[in-house]
Amino acid sequence: MLVGLLVYLAGARLLPDETPRTPNGISKSRLAAPGDRRKVVGLLCVWPFIALFWATQAQIWNVYSVWVRDHVDLEVGRLTVPIPWFQSLDGLTGVVFVPLVLAIWRWQSARGFEPDPLGKIATGCLIFGASVVLLASGPLFGRPHGLAPIPLPVAFHLSSAIGYLYAAPVSMALFASRAPAAWRGTLIGINALAISTGSLISGRMGGLYETLPAPRFWLLVAGICIAAGLALLAVAPRIRRLLGPETD
């Protein structure tokens, strides 16, 4: 931060002059255009669904590691697979699957049925929620000693990564592209606040893991994300009217 401040001070003389202001001191560039308020309201209506997505996603860094420790057979020959290896798949698959997801969207666009950002976010919630159901199905794949095989959490990471790519970066792009210029920075920050809010919800939900059987806990977590996706699909037409055409 200190280096950034020094760079800014050194180059401040190269910055353009301040935007002219009206007599009341408000920057002309920040005067609200017609429809700006509707866009702000529309984006704020999307925010709760994004927060619920993050409440589900954050369990990967919360209860998930405890579940892997207690319910997955980590032995592969003489090797005991470290639990952080599974969580590292979360970041790796998110990068590896970017070309795949982009190819899907290009294929859909060429045929005229690529979902808009709201549709993608809702789809991401549904895919991620369905992926969490895999964790709830652990006992179905349990070996004689009741532990799920390693391919089960691996399959979870492979499928949940696609849900993540449909929801997280698209929501950020939606707020950045559709927010009025005067509100863009604020609304991007509000979108990021969904991560913090989701993490807080996730932490409170994690306490239920001590009282619920693991399959029931994961079904509850999955249900929240799936319900968010379905609800967003239901209200998406109204939110689209608030946001207006994408070319605005």
Side-chain angles (χ1 to χ4, degrees):
M1 292 178 64
L2 178 60
V3 173
L5 176 61
L6 293 176
V7 171
Y8 173 79
L9 293 175
R13 59 186 178 81
L14 302 176
L15 296 175
D17 294 335
E18 185 178 1
T19 303
R21 296 177 178 271
T22 60
N24 62 4
I26 301 176
S27 172
K28 290 182 178 179
S29 65
R30 295 181 65 84
L31 294 177
D36 280 0
R37 185 171 298 180
R38 290 187 298 104
K39 291 181 180 180
V40 171
V41 172
L43 291 173
L44 292 179
C45 288
V46 180
W47 187 87
F49 303 105
I50 301 171
L52 290 176
F53 165 80
W54 284 111
T56 303
Q57 198 277 343
Q59 290 297 346
I60 297 177
W61 311 106
N62 188 15
V63 168
Y64 173 76
S65 58
V66 178
W67 176 83
V68 170
R69 182 195 66 189
D70 296 338
H71 295 277
V72 177
D73 183 3
L74 300 175
E75 302 298 326
V76 179
R78 296 183 178 180
L79 171 67
T80 299
V81 179
I83 294 174
W85 286 15
F86 293 94
Q87 293 172 317
S88 68
L89 285 175
D90 192 55
L92 178 62
T93 53
V95 174
V96 171
F97 283 172
V98 168
L100 172 62
V101 172
L102 292 177
I104 293 173
W105 292 345
R106 284 195 298 267
W107 182 84
Q108 291 175 327
S109 178
R111 287 156 181 78
F113 61 91
E114 179 186 2
D116 69 348
L118 295 179
K120 289 176 180 176
I121 295 171
T123 300
C125 290
L126 295 175
I127 294 175
F128 203 98
S131 302
V132 176
V133 173
L134 287 175
L135 303 181
S137 68
L140 299 178
F141 299 95
R143 298 174 182 178
H145 41 58
L147 298 179
I150 284 179
L152 182 65
V154 171
F156 161 74
H157 285 289
L158 294 177
S159 58
S160 66
I162 296 177
Y164 171 87
L165 291 173
Y166 265 81
V170 173
S171 68
M172 184 181 298
L174 175 67
F175 274 69
S177 63
R178 307 306 298 279
W183 285 80
R184 185 164 296 133
T186 300
L187 287 170
I188 290 175
I190 290 175
N191 175 66
L193 185 62
I195 303 176
S196 175
T197 303
S199 297
L200 290 174
I201 297 172
S202 175
R204 295 300 296 249
M205 288 173 54
L208 297 175
Y209 187 76
E210 298 178 356
T211 59
L212 292 177
R216 189 177 301 177
F217 172 81
W218 289 121
L219 286 176
L220 173 63
V221 174
I224 290 174
C225 202
I226 292 173
L230 293 175
L232 179 55
L233 287 176
V235 301
R238 295 185 179 182
I239 296 177
R240 291 187 185 103
R241 287 196 292 270
L242 290 171
L243 295 178
E246 291 191 34
T247 54
D248 276 4

